[in-house]
Amino acid sequence: ASLSEVLHQPRPSADELRRLPRHDESAKVLYGAPAGRAAARRAVVHHTLLKADVVGILLAVLVTSLASAAWHLREGADLLVLGILLLPAWLVTSLIYRLNLLDAERADHGTANEVVRVAGALLAAVWLAAVVSGLFGPEPAPSLQELTILVVVGAALMALVRMPARALVRRHPAFRQRTIVVGANTVGRLLAEKLRRHREYGIDFIGFLDDSPDLVHATTSGDVLGPLETLEQTVQSESVDRVFITPCPARSEEVLTGAARRLERMGVQVDIVPALFELVGPRAAFHTIEGLPMIGLPPRGPSRSTAVAKRALDVTLAAGGLVVLSPLLMVVALCVRLDSPGPVLYRRELVGRGRRQFAILKFRTMRLEACRGAAYGGASAETAFLELLSDPSHGAEFHRSYKFQEDPRVTKIGALLRRTSLDELPQLWNVVRGELSLVGPRAVGVEEYDDLTFADRHAGPRPYWEFDRIRPGLTGYWQINGRSSTTYAERLWLDEMYVTSLSIRLDLLILGRTVRELFARRQAY
């Protein structure tokens, strides 16, 4: 069988793998060994994204040619020669920037993570193609305006075409990775839950390896496959492609290091959760001192220049968003008014930077008599809320996440607004006023603020003081890492990771991934 034929075959089960005929070398290479399956995974990612890149480049050249003709930027030959030269130049720069290799290595890598890299690789490719075109191509050479349009339009179009291409890749049978986690402790089970929750990662979690006798022999769920000594056998028998190693007190570092090295030699993708993972935010950087690897933690809080740039970004995008989305805002307001009697907007008192209170704006999603607050449902709303909490299942859910997945107080149009997050669009006005930021920690209510603590497993409960320094956000780091499926403690931890790693680049990444989450509508209620 050819490589293409094998790649498009359904992924065989572990029992089918053991029954593969010895003469079927192509299937044995691709499915019988982790290294072969990793090669197949990289191939399908590279080929699919490369095709998407070609489409994006050709569309960018076409748009640039039309813009050049409409604005009379040049006379004479079109940009066909530049477009032809740009394709091989892109192939070179995309390899240098490793644009098509990270999907197979990083579980949650997405288009939003690589927008800056795509723009940089395209800029280098356009520069290289323009130099060659200027030296050997026909006159006139591309103008600076045309090259600028090509880079800007091309980066946007390539990001757009890469999103559906990446979604297609992650559904391909060759991309899916059977995965085990070393360590069935709290960290390991938290990781496993996140893997189960995100099927779009292409990771199929099959179980744990753990040396604890109680877990190995007494478990009834069947998710502990055995002790660490059976690692290699489990990898082979279960056709494992990826192994996550969590901090495992029952085993020494030497044993875990040896296991990781053996897995690497087998071609298995290895991911290691650091022991102090609570401190390692998205801006933590790896460096070395004479070969000894270090994780550098950035200073807490933004610099003055970052704070100024962040505020400028907030005002520009929020004001522009209010103008562009004004027709949608009017339609939503009309739907809210027709769906149930009462005001269109709901105001709730929250705590912002410097412990200042402000009224956050949202489209009303509940019946008026169920909206908490003296200006809305008043005492009847509080009674309805206490009745919900008195139900054991609802009470446990609210204690875990401060939300109800099935809330009988929500109207029909309100449920739709919550699933699509359209109810939060009026908060753009709070951003313009300086009460919110586009990206920041989760805003909290007045009654919640006094009891707000961060549960640190090393230092115990401590005040979550960052709210005194950073504006709360319309979206944030926790919204792109689980949304409503995260526990209350996880949200606080993810918010602290954002505060300690704040940067404009991280804000842009969160905004990009927020758009993806809104379209996916996962865990939104």
Side-chain angles (χ1 to χ4, degrees):
S2 66
L3 174 65
S4 176
E5 291 171 340
V6 176
L7 283 176
H8 288 82
Q9 292 176 357
R11 178 69 178 270
S13 65
D15 291 336
E16 291 172 330
L17 286 172
R18 286 191 286 270
R19 293 195 299 267
L20 280 175
R22 293 182 180 275
H23 64 274
D24 192 352
E25 295 298 331
S26 59
K28 286 168 63 180
V29 169
L30 288 177
Y31 291 131
R37 294 193 299 269
R41 188 160 50 251
R42 288 192 296 268
V44 71
V45 171
H46 180 73
H47 295 159
T48 305
L49 292 183
L50 191 58
K51 293 174 184 176
D53 292 341
V54 171
V55 173
I57 288 174
L58 294 179
L59 288 175
V61 172
L62 176 61
V63 171
T64 304
S65 298
L66 295 176
S68 177
W71 297 337
H72 305 289
L73 298 180
R74 66 183 291 145
E75 299 291 340
D78 57 22
L79 297 175
L80 178 61
V81 174
L82 179 64
I84 295 174
L85 293 173
L86 185 56
L87 294 177
W90 171 257
L91 180 60
V92 173
T93 57
S94 65
L95 290 174
I96 294 174
Y97 279 76
R98 305 182 75 243
L99 288 176
N100 298 340
L101 301 178
L102 297 179
D103 287 78
E105 299 175 9
R106 302 177 183 177
D108 67 340
H109 184 73
T111 304
N113 299 83
E114 63 181 17
V115 171
V116 175
R117 297 167 67 91
V118 168
L122 182 60
L123 178 61
V126 168
W127 177 83
L128 181 60
V131 170
V132 176
S133 176
L135 293 176
F136 304 104
E139 294 291 341
S143 65
L144 179 61
Q145 296 96 319
E146 289 171 318
L147 296 179
T148 302
I149 294 174
L150 181 58
V151 171
V152 174
V153 173
L157 288 176
M158 292 179 74
L160 288 176
V161 297
R162 274 178 161 251
M163 284 191 287
R166 181 166 275 115
L168 182 64
V169 164
R170 292 178 180 269
R171 295 190 184 97
H172 197 287
F175 186 81
R176 302 208 66 84
Q177 302 173 66
R178 291 171 62 82
T179 300
I180 60 177
V181 174
V182 174
N185 47 32
T186 303
V187 178
R189 293 194 175 274
L190 174 63
L191 172 60
E193 177 60 30
K194 292 181 179 295
L195 296 179
R196 291 190 184 104
R197 190 185 302 155
H198 292 279
R199 295 287 297 169
E200 73 277 8
Y201 289 168
I203 292 179
D204 299 324
F205 172 74
I206 60 175
F208 298 96
L209 289 183
D210 197 291
D211 285 337
S212 172
D214 294 336
L215 290 173
V216 174
H217 300 295
T219 182
T220 58
S221 62
D223 56 359
V224 178
L225 306 176
L228 190 57
E229 286 84 354
T230 63
L231 180 59
E232 287 85 352
Q233 297 92 319
T234 303
V235 167
Q236 293 176 353
S237 63
E238 298 292 339
S239 302
V240 173
D241 304 295
R242 194 181 200 111
V243 175
F244 290 90
I245 299 178
T246 66
C248 191
R251 282 291 183 177
S252 65
E253 295 180 1
E254 291 79 5
V255 172
L256 294 177
T257 301
R261 286 174 174 166
R262 291 193 300 274
L263 290 172
E264 287 181 311
R265 287 195 292 268
M266 296 172 66
V268 176
Q269 174 67 44
V270 178
D271 298 88
I272 300 173
V273 180
L276 302 179
F277 71 93
E278 295 100 328
L279 300 176
V280 182
R283 274 188 59 210
F286 283 89
H287 63 281
T288 62
I289 296 180
E290 293 188 353
L292 183 64
M294 306 278 177
I295 301 178
L297 302 182
R300 282 182 174 268
S303 64
R304 184 175 181 82
S305 59
T306 299
V308 172
K310 180 177 173 65
R311 180 60 186 152
L313 181 69
D314 286 343
V315 173
T316 302
L317 295 183
L322 285 173
V323 174
V324 173
L325 298 174
S326 55
L328 177 61
L329 292 171
M330 289 187 288
V331 171
V332 173
L334 180 62
C335 292
V336 172
R337 177 58 63 86
L338 295 177
D339 186 48
S340 64
V344 170
L345 295 178
Y346 175 71
R347 292 173 171 83
R348 182 190 175 198
E349 287 295 318
L350 297 180
V351 179
R353 188 175 66 166
R355 303 188 183 185
R356 290 191 295 269
Q357 297 183 16
F358 68 98
I360 195 171
L361 300 176
K362 299 180 68 174
F363 283 119
R364 181 173 55 84
T365 58
M366 293 185 182
R367 302 186 310 274
L368 178 61
E369 64 273 14
C371 293
R372 300 175 69 189
Y376 301 97
S380 63
E382 292 298 328
T383 301
F385 176 66
L386 292 176
E387 288 178 355
L388 271 177
L389 289 181
S390 64
D391 180 84
S393 60
H394 281 124
E397 181 183 17
F398 189 81
H399 179 72
R400 184 185 73 87
S401 64
Y402 274 72
K403 286 188 174 186
F404 298 115
Q405 186 167 359
E406 299 293 337
D407 195 333
R409 302 171 298 171
V410 176
T411 63
K412 292 182 179 179
I413 189 65
L416 175 62
L417 294 179
R418 289 190 175 194
R419 286 197 301 271
T420 57
S421 297
L422 291 176
D423 60 319
E424 298 180 2
L425 286 181
Q427 295 174 26
L428 291 173
W429 179 243
N430 291 112
V431 175
V432 173
R433 287 170 54 90
E435 296 160 338
L436 285 180
S437 177
L438 286 176
V439 182
R442 185 182 66 92
V444 298
V446 176
E447 69 281 0
E448 181 184 352
Y449 181 81
D450 291 336
D451 297 327
L452 188 62
T453 58
F454 176 73
D456 191 320
R457 68 189 179 108
H458 299 288
R462 56 187 173 80
Y464 192 54
W465 56 267
E466 284 82 0
F467 278 107
D468 297 340
R469 300 177 54 191
I470 306 295
R471 288 186 182 91
L474 181 60
T475 184
Y477 197 49
W478 74 270
Q479 283 93 333
I480 66 171
N481 286 287
R483 299 189 73 177
S484 298
S485 64
T486 56
T487 65
Y488 187 72
E490 282 183 89
R491 292 183 202 172
L492 296 182
W493 167 56
L494 289 170
D495 277 343
E496 184 178 51
M497 290 298 97
Y498 169 78
V499 170
T500 58
S501 304
L502 195 155
S503 69
I504 298 300
R505 180 179 180 182
L506 179 59
D507 277 16
L508 294 175
L509 170 63
I510 293 174
L511 289 173
R513 291 187 61 177
T514 298
V515 174
R516 185 186 72 177
E517 291 294 326
L518 291 178
F519 281 106
R521 294 191 296 178
R522 289 185 294 264
Q523 302 295 332
Y525 52 85

